[in-house]
Amino acid sequence: MLVETVLGNVNEPAWTERLREAKVDDLVLDQWDAQKSRLRRTTSLGTELALSLARGVRLRDGDVLAWDDATATAVVARIALGEVMVVHLDTLHGESMDMVIRSAVELGHAIGNQHWPAVVKGTKMYVPLTVDRKVMDSVMRTHAFTGLTHEFIPGTEIIAYLAPHESRRLFGGADSTPHTHLPADLN
């Protein structure tokens, strides 16, 4: 099956109604594959699917990719968000300005040096896992940031609190796609 356009989204009233009695065949993608305009995957019901979207089109969770009137079956994109490292910055409150500036610069250098995208909201910095969790934890421990703590949480726990541009920074977009060096036929 070749998909070249998104038909709609399950959250749109017309699709919600149509899918109420339909069979839904999920195309489960991780947050990085969802940003690709071209890929080949197999749906949950075993349909081979080739995606060939226009440049700049990004899939959203619930996008309807195909509809078959005869069988009342829809292929729906399901985006699985990965974990996020949360760096707690609230411990810097009350510290001297010199300490706050030094911590901010050192943290920014460490995160930037790894090419990790980040979003700061209030007193928390969110960084999506783009490498193994142990690697990210090791980087944070190696730098031994005074007074800063971090933890890992599911991306689904924070996405509701993010503005659209922040979600794109953490969970998609070419600038935050992790580097891979797989043979072309496996990508």
Side-chain angles (χ1 to χ4, degrees), residues 21-114:
E21 301 295 323
K23 182 190 310 181
V24 176
D25 188 5
D26 291 327
L27 175 66
V28 179
L29 301 170
D30 65 26
Q31 64 200 39
W32 308 114
D33 278 347
Q35 305 310 310
K36 296 178 180 178
S37 59
R38 300 202 180 352
L39 61 81
R40 293 179 70 100
R41 294 292 182 272
T42 303
T43 66
S44 60
L45 297 178
T47 303
E48 287 289 323
L49 183 136
L51 191 65
S52 181
L53 300 173
R55 294 206 184 279
V57 174
R58 298 290 181 240
L59 291 178
R60 296 177 302 137
D61 187 60
D63 277 349
V64 179
L65 305 176
W67 172 255
D68 183 345
D69 271 324
T71 61
T73 302
V75 175
V76 175
R78 294 296 177 192
I79 314 302
L81 299 181
E83 282 189 303
V84 175
M85 178 175 67
V86 181
V87 180
H88 297 277
L89 306 171
D90 54 338
T91 54
L92 295 175
H93 186 67
E95 292 290 339
S96 71
M97 186 58 71
D98 288 346
M99 175 63 156
V100 171
I101 291 171
R102 189 177 95 227
S103 295
V105 170
E106 288 176 355
L107 181 60
H109 173 75
I111 300 296
N113 194 44
Q114 299 298 320

